[in-house]
CSV table of all heavy atoms in Angstrom, one decimal:
chain,number,residue,atom,x,y,z
A,232,MET,N,0.9,-1.1,0.0
A,232,MET,CA,0.0,0.0,-0.1
A,232,MET,C,1.0,1.2,-0.1
A,232,MET,O,0.6,2.2,-0.8
A,232,MET,CB,-0.8,-0.1,1.2
A,232,MET,CG,-1.8,1.1,1.3
A,232,MET,SD,-3.2,1.1,0.1
A,232,MET,CE,-4.5,1.5,1.1
A,233,ASN,N,1.9,1.2,0.8
A,233,ASN,CA,2.8,2.4,0.9
A,233,ASN,C,3.5,2.5,-0.4
A,233,ASN,O,3.6,3.8,-0.9
A,233,ASN,CB,3.9,2.1,2.0
A,233,ASN,CG,4.7,3.3,2.3
A,233,ASN,OD1,4.3,4.4,2.0
A,233,ASN,ND2,5.8,3.1,2.9
A,234,SER,N,3.9,1.5,-1.1
A,234,SER,CA,4.6,1.6,-2.3
A,234,SER,C,3.6,2.1,-3.4
A,234,SER,O,4.0,3.0,-4.2
A,234,SER,CB,5.2,0.3,-2.8
A,234,SER,OG,6.1,0.0,-1.9
A,235,ALA,N,2.4,1.8,-3.4
A,235,ALA,CA,1.5,2.2,-4.4
A,235,ALA,C,1.2,3.7,-4.3
A,235,ALA,O,1.2,4.4,-5.3
A,235,ALA,CB,0.1,1.4,-4.3
A,236,ILE,N,1.0,4.1,-3.0
A,236,ILE,CA,0.7,5.5,-2.8
A,236,ILE,C,2.0,6.4,-3.1
A,236,ILE,O,1.9,7.4,-3.8
A,236,ILE,CB,0.4,5.9,-1.2
A,236,ILE,CG1,-1.0,5.1,-1.0
A,236,ILE,CG2,0.3,7.2,-1.0
A,236,ILE,CD1,-1.2,5.1,0.4
A,237,ALA,N,3.1,6.0,-2.8
A,237,ALA,CA,4.4,6.7,-3.1
A,237,ALA,C,4.6,6.8,-4.6
A,237,ALA,O,5.0,7.8,-5.1
A,237,ALA,CB,5.6,5.9,-2.4
A,238,THR,N,4.3,5.6,-5.4
A,238,THR,CA,4.5,5.7,-6.7
A,238,THR,C,3.5,6.6,-7.3
A,238,THR,O,3.8,7.4,-8.4
A,238,THR,CB,4.2,4.3,-7.3
A,238,THR,OG1,5.2,3.3,-6.8
A,238,THR,CG2,4.4,4.2,-8.8
A,239,PHE,N,2.3,6.7,-6.9
A,239,PHE,CA,1.3,7.6,-7.4
A,239,PHE,C,1.8,9.1,-7.2
A,239,PHE,O,1.5,10.0,-8.0
A,239,PHE,CB,0.0,7.3,-6.8
A,239,PHE,CG,-1.1,8.3,-7.1
A,239,PHE,CD1,-1.7,8.1,-8.6
A,239,PHE,CD2,-1.7,9.3,-6.4
A,239,PHE,CE1,-2.7,8.9,-9.0
A,239,PHE,CE2,-2.7,10.0,-6.9
A,239,PHE,CZ,-3.2,9.8,-8.1
A,240,LEU,N,2.3,9.4,-6.0
A,240,LEU,CA,2.5,10.8,-5.6
A,240,LEU,C,3.9,11.4,-6.1
A,240,LEU,O,4.1,12.6,-6.0
A,240,LEU,CB,2.3,10.9,-4.1
A,240,LEU,CG,0.9,10.8,-3.5
A,240,LEU,CD1,1.0,10.8,-2.0
A,240,LEU,CD2,0.0,11.8,-4.1
A,241,MET,N,4.8,10.4,-6.4
A,241,MET,CA,6.2,10.7,-6.6
A,241,MET,C,6.4,11.8,-7.7
A,241,MET,O,7.1,12.8,-7.5
A,241,MET,CB,7.1,9.6,-7.0
A,241,MET,CG,8.6,9.7,-6.9
A,241,MET,SD,9.4,8.3,-7.2
A,241,MET,CE,9.0,7.3,-6.0
A,242,PRO,N,5.7,11.8,-8.9
A,242,PRO,CA,6.0,12.8,-9.9
A,242,PRO,C,5.5,14.1,-9.4
A,242,PRO,O,6.2,15.2,-9.7
A,242,PRO,CB,5.2,12.3,-11.1
A,242,PRO,CG,4.9,11.0,-10.9
A,242,PRO,CD,5.0,10.7,-9.4
A,243,GLY,N,4.5,14.2,-8.7
A,243,GLY,CA,4.0,15.6,-8.2
A,243,GLY,C,4.9,16.2,-7.2
A,243,GLY,O,5.3,17.4,-7.2
A,244,PHE,N,5.5,15.3,-6.3
A,244,PHE,CA,6.3,15.8,-5.3
A,244,PHE,C,7.8,16.1,-6.0
A,244,PHE,O,8.5,17.0,-5.4
A,244,PHE,CB,6.5,14.9,-4.2
A,244,PHE,CG,5.4,15.0,-3.2
A,244,PHE,CD1,4.5,13.9,-3.0
A,244,PHE,CD2,5.3,16.0,-2.4
A,244,PHE,CE1,3.4,13.9,-2.1
A,244,PHE,CE2,4.2,16.1,-1.6
A,244,PHE,CZ,3.2,15.2,-1.3
A,245,ALA,N,8.2,15.5,-7.0
A,245,ALA,CA,9.5,15.8,-7.6
A,245,ALA,C,9.5,17.2,-8.3
A,245,ALA,O,10.3,17.8,-8.2
A,245,ALA,CB,9.8,14.7,-8.7
A,246,ILE,N,8.3,17.5,-8.9
A,246,ILE,CA,8.2,18.7,-9.5
A,246,ILE,C,8.0,19.8,-8.5
A,246,ILE,O,8.6,20.8,-8.6
A,246,ILE,CB,6.8,18.7,-10.5
A,246,ILE,CG1,7.0,17.9,-11.6
A,246,ILE,CG2,6.4,20.1,-10.9
A,246,ILE,CD1,5.7,17.7,-12.5
A,247,ALA,N,7.2,19.5,-7.4
A,247,ALA,CA,7.1,20.5,-6.3
A,247,ALA,C,8.5,20.7,-5.7
A,247,ALA,O,8.8,21.9,-5.2
A,247,ALA,CB,6.2,20.0,-5.2
A,248,GLY,N,9.3,19.7,-5.5
A,248,GLY,CA,10.6,19.9,-4.9
A,248,GLY,C,11.5,20.7,-5.9
A,248,GLY,O,12.3,21.6,-5.3
A,249,GLY,N,11.4,20.7,-7.0
A,249,GLY,CA,12.2,21.5,-8.0
A,249,GLY,C,11.8,22.8,-8.0
A,249,GLY,O,12.6,23.7,-8.0
A,250,LEU,N,10.4,23.1,-7.9
A,250,LEU,CA,10.0,24.5,-7.7
A,250,LEU,C,10.4,25.0,-6.3
A,250,LEU,O,10.8,26.3,-6.3
A,250,LEU,CB,8.3,24.5,-7.8
A,250,LEU,CG,7.9,24.2,-9.1
A,250,LEU,CD1,6.3,24.1,-9.0
A,250,LEU,CD2,8.2,25.1,-10.1
A,251,ILE,N,10.4,24.3,-5.3
A,251,ILE,CA,10.9,24.9,-4.0
A,251,ILE,C,12.4,25.2,-4.1
A,251,ILE,O,12.8,26.2,-3.5
A,251,ILE,CB,10.5,23.9,-2.8
A,251,ILE,CG1,9.1,23.7,-2.6
A,251,ILE,CG2,11.3,24.2,-1.6
A,251,ILE,CD1,8.6,22.6,-1.7
A,252,ALA,N,13.1,24.3,-4.7
A,252,ALA,CA,14.6,24.6,-4.9
A,252,ALA,C,14.8,25.8,-5.7
A,252,ALA,O,15.7,26.6,-5.4
A,252,ALA,CB,15.3,23.3,-5.5
A,253,GLU,N,13.9,26.1,-6.7
A,253,GLU,CA,14.1,27.3,-7.5
A,253,GLU,C,13.8,28.6,-6.7
A,253,GLU,O,14.3,29.7,-7.0
A,253,GLU,CB,13.1,27.2,-8.7
A,253,GLU,CG,13.6,26.3,-9.8
A,253,GLU,CD,14.8,26.7,-10.6
A,253,GLU,OE1,15.0,27.9,-10.7
A,253,GLU,OE2,15.7,25.8,-10.8
A,254,TRP,N,12.9,28.4,-5.8
A,254,TRP,CA,12.6,29.7,-4.9
A,254,TRP,C,13.8,30.0,-4.0
A,254,TRP,O,13.6,31.1,-3.3
A,254,TRP,CB,11.3,29.3,-4.0
A,254,TRP,CG,10.1,29.4,-4.9
A,254,TRP,CD1,9.8,29.9,-6.1
A,254,TRP,CD2,8.8,28.6,-4.6
A,254,TRP,NE1,8.7,29.5,-6.7
A,254,TRP,CE2,8.0,28.8,-5.6
A,254,TRP,CE3,8.4,27.9,-3.4
A,254,TRP,CZ2,6.7,28.4,-5.6
A,254,TRP,CZ3,7.2,27.5,-3.5
A,254,TRP,CH2,6.3,27.6,-4.5
A,255,GLY,N,14.7,29.3,-3.9
A,255,GLY,CA,15.9,29.7,-3.0
A,255,GLY,C,16.3,28.8,-1.9
A,255,GLY,O,17.2,29.0,-1.1
A,256,ILE,N,15.4,27.8,-1.6
A,256,ILE,CA,15.7,26.9,-0.4
A,256,ILE,C,16.7,26.0,-1.0
A,256,ILE,O,16.6,25.3,-2.1
A,256,ILE,CB,14.4,26.2,-0.1
A,256,ILE,CG1,13.3,27.1,0.5
A,256,ILE,CG2,14.6,25.1,1.0
A,256,ILE,CD1,12.0,26.6,0.8
A,257,SER,N,17.7,25.7,-0.2
A,257,SER,CA,18.8,24.9,-0.6
A,257,SER,C,18.4,23.4,-0.6
A,257,SER,O,17.4,23.0,0.0
A,257,SER,CB,20.0,25.0,0.3
A,257,SER,OG,19.7,24.5,1.5
A,258,VAL,N,19.0,22.7,-1.5
A,258,VAL,CA,18.6,21.3,-1.9
A,258,VAL,C,18.9,20.5,-0.7
A,258,VAL,O,18.1,19.4,-0.3
A,258,VAL,CB,19.4,20.8,-3.1
A,258,VAL,CG1,19.0,19.2,-3.4
A,258,VAL,CG2,19.0,21.6,-4.3
A,259,ASN,N,19.9,20.8,0.2
A,259,ASN,CA,20.2,19.9,1.3
A,259,ASN,C,19.1,19.9,2.4
A,259,ASN,O,18.8,18.9,3.0
A,259,ASN,CB,21.5,20.1,2.0
A,259,ASN,CG,21.8,21.6,2.4
A,259,ASN,OD1,20.9,22.5,2.1
A,259,ASN,ND2,22.6,21.8,3.1
A,260,HIS,N,18.3,21.1,2.4
A,260,HIS,CA,17.2,21.1,3.3
A,260,HIS,C,16.1,20.3,2.8
A,260,HIS,O,15.3,19.7,3.6
A,260,HIS,CB,16.7,22.6,3.4
A,260,HIS,CG,17.6,23.4,4.2
A,260,HIS,ND1,18.6,24.2,3.6
A,260,HIS,CD2,17.9,23.6,5.6
A,260,HIS,CE1,19.3,24.9,4.6
A,260,HIS,NE2,18.8,24.5,5.9
A,261,LEU,N,15.9,20.2,1.5
A,261,LEU,CA,14.9,19.3,0.8
A,261,LEU,C,15.2,17.8,1.3
A,261,LEU,O,14.3,17.0,1.6
A,261,LEU,CB,14.8,19.5,-0.6
A,261,LEU,CG,14.3,20.8,-1.0
A,261,LEU,CD1,14.3,21.0,-2.6
A,261,LEU,CD2,12.8,21.0,-0.6
A,262,PHE,N,16.5,17.4,1.1
A,262,PHE,CA,16.8,16.1,1.4
A,262,PHE,C,16.8,15.8,2.9
A,262,PHE,O,16.2,14.6,3.3
A,262,PHE,CB,18.3,15.7,1.0
A,262,PHE,CG,18.5,15.6,-0.4
A,262,PHE,CD1,19.3,16.4,-1.2
A,262,PHE,CD2,17.9,14.5,-1.1
A,262,PHE,CE1,19.5,16.2,-2.5
A,262,PHE,CE2,18.0,14.4,-2.5
A,262,PHE,CZ,18.8,15.2,-3.2
A,263,ILE,N,16.9,16.8,3.7
A,263,ILE,CA,16.8,16.5,5.2
A,263,ILE,C,15.3,16.3,5.5
A,263,ILE,O,14.9,15.5,6.3
A,263,ILE,CB,17.3,17.6,6.0
A,263,ILE,CG1,18.9,17.6,6.0
A,263,ILE,CG2,16.9,17.6,7.4
A,263,ILE,CD1,19.6,18.8,6.6
A,264,GLY,N,14.4,17.3,4.9
A,264,GLY,CA,13.0,17.1,5.1
A,264,GLY,C,12.4,15.8,4.7
A,264,GLY,O,11.6,15.1,5.2
A,265,ALA,N,13.0,15.4,3.4
A,265,ALA,CA,12.5,14.1,2.9
A,265,ALA,C,12.9,12.9,3.8
A,265,ALA,O,12.1,12.0,4.0
A,265,ALA,CB,13.0,13.8,1.5
A,266,GLY,N,14.2,12.9,4.3
A,266,GLY,CA,14.5,11.9,5.2
A,266,GLY,C,13.8,12.0,6.5
A,266,GLY,O,13.5,10.7,6.9
A,267,ILE,N,13.4,13.0,7.0
A,267,ILE,CA,12.6,13.1,8.2
A,267,ILE,C,11.3,12.5,7.9
A,267,ILE,O,10.6,11.7,8.8
A,267,ILE,CB,12.6,14.5,8.7
A,267,ILE,CG1,13.8,14.9,9.4
A,267,ILE,CG2,11.5,14.6,9.8
A,267,ILE,CD1,13.9,16.5,9.8
A,268,TRP,N,10.7,12.8,6.8
A,268,TRP,CA,9.3,12.4,6.3
A,268,TRP,C,9.3,10.7,6.2
A,268,TRP,O,8.5,10.1,6.7
A,268,TRP,CB,8.9,12.9,5.0
A,268,TRP,CG,7.6,12.4,4.5
A,268,TRP,CD1,7.5,11.6,3.4
A,268,TRP,CD2,6.3,12.6,5.1
A,268,TRP,NE1,6.2,11.1,3.3
A,268,TRP,CE2,5.4,11.9,4.3
A,268,TRP,CE3,5.9,13.3,6.1
A,268,TRP,CZ2,4.1,11.9,4.5
A,268,TRP,CZ3,4.5,13.4,6.3
A,268,TRP,CH2,3.6,12.5,5.5
A,269,VAL,N,10.5,10.2,5.6
A,269,VAL,CA,10.5,8.8,5.5
A,269,VAL,C,10.7,8.2,6.8
A,269,VAL,O,9.9,6.9,7.1
A,269,VAL,CB,11.7,8.3,4.6
A,269,VAL,CG1,11.9,6.9,4.6
A,269,VAL,CG2,11.5,8.8,3.2
A,270,LEU,N,11.4,8.7,7.9
A,270,LEU,CA,11.6,8.1,9.1
A,270,LEU,C,10.2,8.2,9.8
A,270,LEU,O,9.9,7.3,10.5
A,270,LEU,CB,12.7,8.9,9.9
A,270,LEU,CG,14.1,8.5,9.5
A,270,LEU,CD1,14.9,9.5,10.3
A,270,LEU,CD2,14.4,7.2,9.8
A,271,LEU,N,9.4,9.2,9.8
A,271,LEU,CA,8.2,9.3,10.4
A,271,LEU,C,7.2,8.4,9.9
A,271,LEU,O,6.5,7.6,10.7
A,271,LEU,CB,7.7,10.8,10.4
A,271,LEU,CG,8.4,11.9,11.1
A,271,LEU,CD1,7.9,13.2,11.0
A,271,LEU,CD2,8.5,11.4,12.6
A,272,LEU,N,7.2,8.3,8.7
A,272,LEU,CA,6.3,7.2,8.0
A,272,LEU,C,6.6,5.8,8.3
A,272,LEU,O,5.7,5.1,8.6
A,272,LEU,CB,6.2,7.4,6.5
A,272,LEU,CG,5.1,6.7,5.6
A,272,LEU,CD1,3.8,7.2,6.1
A,272,LEU,CD2,5.4,6.9,4.2
A,273,SER,N,7.8,5.5,8.5
A,273,SER,CA,8.3,4.1,8.9
A,273,SER,C,7.9,3.9,10.3
A,273,SER,O,7.4,2.8,10.6
A,273,SER,CB,9.8,4.1,8.8
A,273,SER,OG,10.2,4.2,7.3
A,274,LEU,N,8.1,4.9,11.1
A,274,LEU,CA,7.7,4.8,12.5
A,274,LEU,C,6.2,4.6,12.6
A,274,LEU,O,5.7,3.7,13.5
A,274,LEU,CB,8.2,5.9,13.4
A,274,LEU,CG,9.7,5.9,13.6
A,274,LEU,CD1,10.1,7.2,14.4
A,274,LEU,CD2,10.1,4.8,14.4
A,275,PHE,N,5.5,5.2,12.0
A,275,PHE,CA,3.9,5.1,12.0
A,275,PHE,C,3.5,3.7,11.6
A,275,PHE,O,2.7,3.1,12.3
A,275,PHE,CB,3.3,6.2,11.0
A,275,PHE,CG,1.9,5.9,10.8
A,275,PHE,CD1,1.0,6.3,11.8
A,275,PHE,CD2,1.3,5.3,9.6
A,275,PHE,CE1,-0.4,6.0,11.6
A,275,PHE,CE2,0.0,5.0,9.4
A,275,PHE,CZ,-0.9,5.3,10.5
A,276,PHE,N,4.1,3.2,10.6
A,276,PHE,CA,3.7,1.7,10.2
A,276,PHE,C,4.3,0.8,11.1
A,276,PHE,O,3.7,-0.2,11.2
A,276,PHE,CB,4.4,1.4,8.8
A,276,PHE,CG,3.6,2.1,7.6
A,276,PHE,CD1,4.1,2.9,6.8
A,276,PHE,CD2,2.2,1.8,7.6
A,276,PHE,CE1,3.4,3.5,5.7
A,276,PHE,CE2,1.4,2.5,6.6
A,276,PHE,CZ,2.1,3.3,5.7
A,277,LEU,N,5.4,1.1,11.9
A,277,LEU,CA,5.9,0.3,12.9
A,277,LEU,C,5.0,0.1,14.2
A,277,LEU,O,4.8,-0.9,14.6
A,277,LEU,CB,7.4,0.7,13.3
A,277,LEU,CG,8.2,-0.2,14.4
A,277,LEU,CD1,8.3,-1.6,13.8
A,277,LEU,CD2,9.4,0.5,14.8
A,278,PHE,N,4.5,1.1,14.5
A,278,PHE,CA,3.6,1.4,15.7
A,278,PHE,C,2.1,1.3,15.5
A,278,PHE,O,1.3,1.4,16.4
A,278,PHE,CB,4.0,2.6,16.6
A,278,PHE,CG,5.4,2.5,17.0
A,278,PHE,CD1,6.4,3.3,16.7
A,278,PHE,CD2,5.7,1.5,18.0
A,278,PHE,CE1,7.6,3.4,17.1
A,278,PHE,CE2,7.1,1.4,18.6
A,278,PHE,CZ,8.0,2.3,18.1
A,279,ASP,N,1.7,1.2,14.1
A,279,ASP,CA,0.3,1.1,13.9
A,279,ASP,C,-0.4,-0.1,14.4
A,279,ASP,O,0.0,-1.2,14.1
A,279,ASP,CB,0.1,1.2,12.4
A,279,ASP,CG,-1.3,1.4,12.0
A,279,ASP,OD1,-2.2,1.7,12.9
A,279,ASP,OD2,-1.8,1.0,10.9
A,280,PRO,N,-1.4,0.0,15.4
A,280,PRO,CA,-2.0,-1.3,16.0
A,280,PRO,C,-2.7,-2.1,15.0
A,280,PRO,O,-2.6,-3.3,15.1
A,280,PRO,CB,-3.0,-0.6,16.9
A,280,PRO,CG,-3.2,0.8,16.7
A,280,PRO,CD,-2.0,1.3,15.8
A,281,ASP,N,-3.2,-1.6,13.9
A,281,ASP,CA,-3.8,-2.4,13.0
A,281,ASP,C,-2.9,-3.3,12.2
A,281,ASP,O,-3.2,-4.6,11.9
A,281,ASP,CB,-4.6,-1.6,11.9
A,281,ASP,CG,-5.7,-0.8,12.5
A,281,ASP,OD1,-6.3,-1.4,13.6
A,281,ASP,OD2,-6.2,0.1,12.0
A,282,LEU,N,-1.6,-2.8,11.8
A,282,LEU,CA,-0.7,-3.5,11.2
A,282,LEU,C,0.0,-4.5,12.1
A,282,LEU,O,0.5,-5.6,11.7
A,282,LEU,CB,0.4,-2.6,10.6
A,282,LEU,CG,-0.2,-1.7,9.3
A,282,LEU,CD1,1.0,-1.0,8.8
A,282,LEU,CD2,-0.7,-2.7,8.2
A,283,ARG,N,0.1,-4.2,13.4
A,283,ARG,CA,0.7,-5.1,14.4
A,283,ARG,C,-0.1,-6.4,14.6
A,283,ARG,O,0.4,-7.4,15.0
A,283,ARG,CB,1.0,-4.4,15.7
A,283,ARG,CG,2.1,-3.3,15.6
A,283,ARG,CD,2.2,-2.6,16.9
A,283,ARG,NE,2.8,-3.6,17.8
A,283,ARG,CZ,3.9,-3.6,18.4
A,283,ARG,NH1,4.7,-2.6,18.0
A,283,ARG,NH2,4.2,-4.5,19.3
A,284,ASP,N,-1.5,-6.3,14.4
A,284,ASP,CA,-2.3,-7.4,14.6
A,284,ASP,C,-2.3,-8.4,13.3
A,284,ASP,O,-2.9,-9.4,13.5
A,284,ASP,CB,-3.7,-6.9,14.7
A,284,ASP,CG,-3.9,-6.3,16.1
A,284,ASP,OD1,-3.1,-6.5,17.0
A,284,ASP,OD2,-4.9,-5.4,16.3
A,285,VAL,N,-1.6,-8.0,12.3
A,285,VAL,CA,-1.6,-8.9,11.0
A,285,VAL,C,-0.8,-10.1,11.5
A,285,VAL,O,0.4,-10.0,11.9
A,285,VAL,CB,-1.0,-8.2,9.9
A,285,VAL,CG1,-0.9,-9.0,8.8
A,285,VAL,CG2,-1.9,-6.9,9.5
A,286,GLN,N,-1.3,-11.2,11.2
A,286,GLN,CA,-0.7,-12.6,11.4
A,286,GLN,C,0.3,-12.9,10.3
A,286,GLN,O,-0.2,-12.6,9.2
A,286,GLN,CB,-1.7,-13.6,11.7
A,286,GLN,CG,-2.7,-13.3,12.8
A,286,GLN,CD,-2.3,-13.9,14.1
A,286,GLN,OE1,-1.7,-15.0,14.1
A,286,GLN,NE2,-2.8,-13.2,15.2
A,287,LYS,N,1.4,-13.7,10.6
A,287,LYS,CA,2.1,-14.1,9.5
A,287,LYS,C,1.6,-15.3,8.8
A,287,LYS,O,1.0,-16.2,9.5
A,287,LYS,CB,3.6,-14.6,10.2
A,287,LYS,CG,4.6,-15.0,9.3
A,287,LYS,CD,5.8,-15.5,9.8
A,287,LYS,CE,6.8,-16.0,8.8
A,287,LYS,NZ,8.0,-16.5,9.5
A,288,VAL,N,1.7,-15.4,7.6
A,288,VAL,CA,1.2,-16.5,6.7
A,288,VAL,C,2.1,-17.6,6.7
A,288,VAL,O,3.2,-17.4,6.4
A,288,VAL,CB,1.0,-15.9,5.2
A,288,VAL,CG1,0.4,-17.1,4.5
A,288,VAL,CG2,0.0,-14.8,5.2
A,289,SER,N,1.6,-18.7,7.3
A,289,SER,CA,2.4,-19.9,7.3
A,289,SER,C,2.3,-20.7,6.1
A,289,SER,O,1.5,-20.4,5.2
A,289,SER,CB,2.0,-20.9,8.6
A,289,SER,OG,0.8,-21.2,8.4
A,290,GLY,N,3.1,-21.8,5.9
A,290,GLY,CA,3.0,-22.6,4.7
A,290,GLY,C,2.0,-23.7,4.8
A,290,GLY,O,1.9,-24.6,3.9
A,291,GLU,N,1.3,-23.8,5.9
A,291,GLU,CA,0.3,-24.7,6.0
A,291,GLU,C,-0.9,-24.6,5.4
A,291,GLU,O,-1.4,-23.3,5.4
A,291,GLU,CB,0.1,-25.1,7.5
A,291,GLU,CG,1.4,-25.4,8.2
A,291,GLU,CD,1.2,-25.5,9.8
A,291,GLU,OE1,0.2,-25.4,10.3
A,291,GLU,OE2,2.3,-25.7,10.4
A,292,LYS,N,-2.0,-25.6,5.2
A,292,LYS,CA,-3.1,-25.3,4.6
A,292,LYS,C,-4.1,-25.0,5.8
A,292,LYS,O,-4.1,-25.6,6.8
A,292,LYS,CB,-3.6,-26.4,3.8
A,292,LYS,CG,-3.0,-26.7,2.5
A,292,LYS,CD,-3.6,-27.8,1.8
A,292,LYS,CE,-2.8,-28.0,0.4
A,292,LYS,NZ,-3.3,-29.0,-0.3
A,293,VAL,N,-5.0,-24.0,5.6
A,293,VAL,CA,-5.9,-23.6,6.6
A,293,VAL,C,-7.3,-23.8,6.0
A,293,VAL,O,-7.6,-23.3,4.9
A,293,VAL,CB,-5.6,-22.2,6.9
A,293,VAL,CG1,-6.6,-21.7,8.0
A,293,VAL,CG2,-4.2,-21.9,7.5
A,294,ASP,N,-8.1,-24.3,6.7
A,294,ASP,CA,-9.5,-24.6,6.2
A,294,ASP,C,-10.4,-23.3,6.7
A,294,ASP,O,-10.5,-23.1,7.8
A,294,ASP,CB,-10.0,-25.9,6.9
A,294,ASP,CG,-11.5,-26.3,6.3
A,294,ASP,OD1,-11.7,-25.7,5.2
A,294,ASP,OD2,-12.3,-26.8,7.0
A,295,VAL,N,-10.9,-22.7,5.6
A,295,VAL,CA,-11.7,-21.4,5.9
A,295,VAL,C,-13.0,-21.8,5.4
A,295,VAL,O,-13.3,-21.6,4.1
A,295,VAL,CB,-11.1,-20.2,5.2
A,295,VAL,CG1,-12.0,-19.1,5.5
A,295,VAL,CG2,-9.7,-20.0,5.6
A,296,GLY,N,-14.0,-22.4,6.2
A,296,GLY,CA,-15.3,-22.7,5.7
A,296,GLY,C,-15.1,-23.8,4.8
A,296,GLY,O,-14.6,-24.9,5.2
A,297,ASP,N,-15.7,-23.7,3.5
A,297,ASP,CA,-15.7,-24.8,2.6
A,297,ASP,C,-14.5,-24.8,1.8
A,297,ASP,O,-14.3,-25.6,0.8
A,297,ASP,CB,-16.9,-24.8,1.8
A,297,ASP,CG,-18.1,-25.0,2.7
A,297,ASP,OD1,-18.1,-25.8,3.6
A,297,ASP,OD2,-19.3,-24.6,2.3
A,298,VAL,N,-13.6,-23.7,1.9
A,298,VAL,CA,-12.5,-23.4,0.9
A,298,VAL,C,-11.2,-23.7,1.7
A,298,VAL,O,-11.0,-23.1,2.8
A,298,VAL,CB,-12.5,-22.1,0.3
A,298,VAL,CG1,-11.4,-21.9,-0.6
A,298,VAL,CG2,-13.9,-21.8,-0.3
A,299,ALA,N,-10.3,-24.6,1.1
A,299,ALA,CA,-9.0,-24.7,1.7
A,299,ALA,C,-8.0,-23.6,1.1
A,299,ALA,O,-8.0,-23.5,0.0
A,299,ALA,CB,-8.5,-26.0,1.5
A,300,VAL,N,-7.4,-22.8,2.0
A,300,VAL,CA,-6.4,-21.8,1.5
A,300,VAL,C,-5.1,-22.2,1.8
A,300,VAL,O,-4.7,-22.4,3.0
A,300,VAL,CB,-6.8,-20.4,2.2
A,300,VAL,CG1,-5.8,-19.3,1.8
A,300,VAL,CG2,-8.3,-20.1,1.8
A,301,GLU,N,-4.2,-22.1,0.9
A,301,GLU,CA,-2.7,-22.5,1.1
A,301,GLU,C,-2.0,-21.3,1.2
A,301,GLU,O,-2.0,-20.5,0.3
A,301,GLU,CB,-2.3,-23.4,0.0
A,301,GLU,CG,-0.9,-23.9,0.1
A,301,GLU,CD,-0.5,-24.8,-0.8
A,301,GLU,OE1,-1.3,-25.4,-1.7
A,301,GLU,OE2,0.8,-25.0,-1.0
A,302,GLY,N,-1.1,-21.1,2.3
A,302,GLY,CA,-0.2,-20.0,2.5
A,302,GLY,C,1.0,-20.1,1.6
A,302,GLY,O,1.3,-21.2,0.9
A,303,GLU,N,1.9,-19.1,1.6
A,303,GLU,CA,3.1,-19.1,0.9
A,303,GLU,C,4.1,-19.9,1.5
A,303,GLU,O,4.4,-20.0,2.5
A,303,GLU,CB,3.6,-17.7,0.5
A,303,GLU,CG,2.6,-16.8,-0.2
A,303,GLU,CD,3.2,-15.4,-0.4
A,303,GLU,OE1,4.1,-15.0,0.2
A,303,GLU,OE2,2.6,-14.8,-1.3
């Protein structure tokens, strides 16, 4: 999900970053801001309670009602 959203938004943010750099903000500040954003987003996904409840898929077959589902 994160990759899909990032791929969708990347062209717009690349253009916006270029415009911000043209206005006089140095590029190293843009890289620092982008790095902080990536760290904050990573921490959000690390501590999100909904994602912490996701169970690991085992390689065993699990019977779900009338359909048998095989994990990876």
Side-chain angles (χ1 to χ4, degrees):
M232 181 72 136
N233 189 22
S234 297
I236 293 171
T238 303
F239 180 72
L240 295 176
M241 193 177 299
F244 280 112
I246 292 171
L250 291 173
I251 291 171
E253 286 292 322
W254 289 338
I256 297 174
S257 62
V258 176
N259 60 348
H260 288 98
L261 290 175
F262 282 120
I263 291 170
I267 290 171
W268 175 254
V269 169
L270 286 174
L271 290 176
L272 190 62
S273 300
L274 289 174
F275 170 75
F276 286 123
L277 182 64
F278 293 115
D279 185 21
D281 293 332
L282 292 177
R283 291 181 65 112
D284 290 338
V285 174
Q286 305 260 334
K287 181 179 177 183
V288 177
S289 66
E291 301 173 8
K292 290 186 178 181
V293 178
D294 186 26
V295 181
D297 296 332
V298 179
V300 178
E301 185 175 339
E303 293 182 346

